[in-house]
Amino acid sequence: DTAVSQTPKYLVTQMGNDKSIKCEQNLGHDTMYWYKQDSKKFLKIMFSYNNKELIINETVPNRFSPKSPDKAHLNLHINSLELGDSAVYFCASSQDEGSGANVLTFGAGSRLTVL
Amino acid sequence: AQRVTQPEKLLSVFKGAPVELKCNYSYSGSPELFWYVQYSRQRLQLLLRHISRESIKGFTADLNKGETSFHLKKPFAQEEDSAMYYCALWNSGGYQKVTFGTGTKLQVIP
């Protein structure tokens, strides 16, 4: 049973298109995140949701819109894709309390290529 | 603002040699620090955290508040240690946020 699963794993699309990446966690964690890993392997937080509520919204173009229908899901929708959006997008989750608190569990990543 | 610095983009060592991956941080509160590892074509995963004070896969890291450092060390590198290593800092002061360093690629030469 995969703890944090993302779909799709690979996404190749044309500039200007709209696409979504889905993330689900079955760990019962309270907080979920989206991170972007660029070609230089830098990891940058984009969004964070705690119990379906947006708590972190870093400087990200408003073409990126996260949606959390429930605390086990956090989806990322991207409008009008640009070449610079090409990256690996990682979903992660963490629990708020307990011995495992503050430890991120990551999904396998979704590699987005914009042509 | 919190910041995590990993000065080396690439560190190459021979198998059996000691390894030290550097990490420095700046944070006004009490830091909680982690090392995450990403093996080739695998997801990022926790390697160790400073509050656990344990050794994982032979790696240790000691928090030095005076030097604001959290260097990752291993006495004898193995080929399977080749990976991307990220130092990370948890923001405990208000909202959940993890800031990652820029990562160091460790290459262990056979």
Side-chain angles (χ1 to χ4, degrees):
Chain A
D1 253 3
T2 305
V4 180
S5 57
Q6 299 178 225
T7 53
K9 201 168 175 182
Y10 299 97
L11 191 50
V12 181
T13 189
Q14 300 283 339
M15 270 176 59
N17 283 352
D18 303 339
K19 289 293 175 190
S20 292
I21 308 172
K22 296 186 175 183
C23 179
E24 176 181 1
Q25 54 97 2
N26 62 6
L27 298 165
H29 287 174
D30 300 294
T31 305
M32 294 185 74
Y33 312 79
W34 278 109
Y35 278 85
K36 180 180 179 181
Q37 187 181 47
D38 63 21
S39 57
K40 294 183 180 176
K41 303 287 191 183
F42 295 162
L43 262 175
K44 194 166 178 342
I45 190 166
M46 300 173 71
F47 302 102
S48 170
Y49 270 74
N50 181 269
N51 281 310
K52 301 195 302 174
E53 206 175 308
L54 180 67
I55 54 170
I56 294 174
N57 185 350
E58 292 291 297
T59 310
V60 174
N62 57 14
R63 298 181 294 104
F64 290 79
S65 52
K67 280 195 173 56
S68 182
D70 55 61
K71 81 172 202 178
H73 294 85
L74 179 61
N75 303 325
L76 183 66
H77 188 76
I78 316 169
N79 288 328
S80 304
L81 279 156
E82 300 177 358
L83 293 176
D85 298 332
S86 295
V88 182
Y89 292 85
F90 284 100
C91 178
S93 68
S94 67
Q95 64 187 62
D96 293 350
E97 294 175 356
S99 61
N102 308 339
V103 174
L104 296 178
T105 301
F106 282 88
S110 297
R111 183 177 292 275
L112 171 65
T113 303
V114 182
L115 304 174
Chain B
Q2 62 194 68
R3 192 179 197 137
V4 179
T5 304
Q6 292 179 252
E8 301 138 330
K9 282 179 76 170
L10 172 67
L11 182 65
S12 296
V13 301
F14 285 101
K15 179 181 167 184
V19 174
E20 183 178 49
L21 297 165
K22 291 185 169 36
C23 173
N24 288 89
Y25 67 90
S26 63
Y27 183 56
S28 54
S30 184
E32 186 170 359
L33 286 148
F34 305 79
W35 277 98
Y36 284 83
V37 61
Q38 187 178 27
Y39 299 103
S40 179
R41 300 186 184 283
Q42 292 188 30
R43 64 187 70 200
L44 270 151
Q45 56 187 287
L46 177 72
L47 180 62
L48 52 80
R49 58 193 303 193
H50 90 268
I51 61 171
S52 301
R53 303 183 71 82
E54 54 190 351
S55 172
I56 305 289
K57 299 186 180 185
F59 284 98
T60 58
D62 290 318
L63 178 61
N64 185 324
K65 290 186 179 180
E67 295 181 0
T68 59
S69 69
F70 187 57
H71 303 327
L72 184 68
K73 298 178 185 177
K74 184 169 181 175
F76 307 104
Q78 297 170 313
E79 286 178 66
E80 54 264 33
D81 296 330
S82 295
M84 195 75 185
Y85 291 81
Y86 292 92
C87 183
L89 172 67
W90 178 269
N91 180 340
S92 56
Y95 55 92
Q96 293 95 329
K97 178 178 174 178
V98 177
T99 298
F100 283 87
T102 48
T104 298
K105 182 173 180 177
L106 175 64
Q107 186 178 57
V108 180
I109 304 163

